[in-house]
């Protein structure tokens, strides 16, 4: 039953197996299962999220990812949203175009982040080595808080093409 699923994964989620398996999701049923696992993990191990769920008096269990409560964007501007005991390896900031207070995206494992970029590219476009990547954003070296510049840099490197690159400062 769902109650058993909830109790089992709430107490026994092995994060390394979870990370390995999220890149094997093939359909919406798989996605739902892994989203619920992550929700249960975060609701216990992320102090800001845990407190938020308590404040909104959220009741568990839920059965679909569509019912997972999301933190308001304002929290990412005023709090460090991260799992207990984890240290961010890199922090990305929003562009700040709508307000001077920029939202923070704390990334604990940069390899998972890189793998998700490449897997998403492959899912929608195919092998990165078949593409030349032309980026019209400031280079990551000039803007190390930009997740978009980071993604572009990763795709440029993985394309392995001399003609790939950042072009906002270059005249063609």
């Amino acid at each position: 039953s769902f109650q058993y699923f909830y109790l089992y994964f709430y107490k026994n989620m092995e994060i390394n197996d979870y990370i390995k398996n999220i890149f094997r999701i093939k359909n919406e049923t798989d996605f739902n299962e892994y989203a619920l696992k992550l929700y249960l993990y975060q609701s216990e191990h992320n102090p800001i999220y845990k407190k938020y769920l308590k404040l909104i008096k959220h009741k568990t269990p839920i059965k679909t990812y569509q019912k997972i409560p999301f933190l308001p964007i304002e929290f990412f501007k005023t709090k460090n949203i991260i799992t207990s005991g984890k240290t961010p390896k890199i922090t990305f900031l929003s562009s700040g175009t709508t307000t001077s207070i920029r939202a923070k995206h704390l990334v604990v494992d940069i390899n998972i982040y890189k793998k998700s970029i490449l897997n998403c590219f492959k899912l929608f476009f195919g092998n990165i080595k078949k593409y030349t990547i032309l980026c019209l954003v400031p280079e990551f070296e000039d803007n190390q808080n930009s997740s978009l510049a980071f993604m572009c840099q990763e795709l440029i490197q993985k394309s392995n093409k001399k003609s790939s690159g950042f072009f906002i400062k270059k005249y063609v």
Side-chain angles (χ1 to χ4, degrees):
S1 80
F2 186 79
Q3 195 71 14
Y4 174 75
F5 170 86
Y6 172 78
L7 290 171
Y8 177 80
F9 286 108
Y10 178 76
K11 297 192 183 300
N12 299 310
M13 183 171 164
E14 179 22 72
I15 197 70
N16 291 327
D17 286 341
Y18 180 87
I19 291 166
K20 181 177 64 178
N21 290 323
I22 58 171
F23 294 106
R24 296 180 181 158
I25 293 172
K26 300 286 185 223
N27 54 47
E28 190 170 2
T29 301
D30 291 349
F31 179 82
N32 189 67
E33 178 184 338
Y34 281 90
L36 291 174
K37 287 178 185 180
L38 185 59
Y39 155 72
L40 294 171
Y41 182 82
Q42 291 292 329
S43 68
E44 181 60 26
H45 299 286
N46 186 314
I48 302 292
Y49 190 56
K50 186 176 186 174
K51 186 174 182 179
Y52 175 72
L53 293 174
K54 186 176 180 179
L55 288 171
I56 65 168
K57 298 178 179 159
H58 181 68
K59 302 284 186 228
T60 53
I62 57 173
K63 295 181 181 180
T64 65
Y65 69 90
Q66 293 96 335
K67 300 290 184 184
I68 295 173
F70 294 102
L71 285 172
I73 189 66
E74 290 301 316
F75 282 42
F76 293 88
K77 295 177 182 180
T78 60
K79 308 283 183 202
N80 287 328
I81 310 299
I82 192 163
T83 305
S84 294
K86 302 292 182 180
T87 303
K89 301 297 184 261
I90 191 166
T91 300
F92 295 120
L93 300 175
S94 65
S95 63
T97 54
T98 58
T99 178
S100 62
I101 301 171
R102 298 169 72 183
K104 297 175 293 222
H105 177 192
L106 308 176
V107 178
V108 172
D109 188 329
I110 201 68
N111 292 320
I112 295 170
Y113 197 79
K114 288 178 178 182
K115 189 172 181 176
S116 69
I117 294 165
L118 296 173
N119 281 10
C120 284
F121 188 93
K122 184 177 180 179
L123 177 66
F124 289 100
F125 300 106
N127 187 342
I128 184 69
K129 294 190 183 299
K130 293 181 181 181
Y131 291 87
T132 300
I133 307 297
L134 310 174
C135 296
L136 294 173
V137 300
E139 295 186 37
F140 183 67
E141 289 177 6
D142 298 334
N143 193 6
Q144 295 194 1
N145 296 116
S146 169
S147 58
L148 179 58
F150 181 89
M151 289 178 209
C152 288
Q153 176 176 281
E154 188 66 15
L155 293 173
I156 289 166
Q157 289 173 350
K158 295 299 181 186
S159 75
N160 206 24
K161 298 223 167 129
K162 290 181 183 178
S163 53
S164 289
F166 290 94
F167 290 91
I168 201 161
K169 293 182 180 178
K170 298 175 184 174
Y171 298 100
V172 181

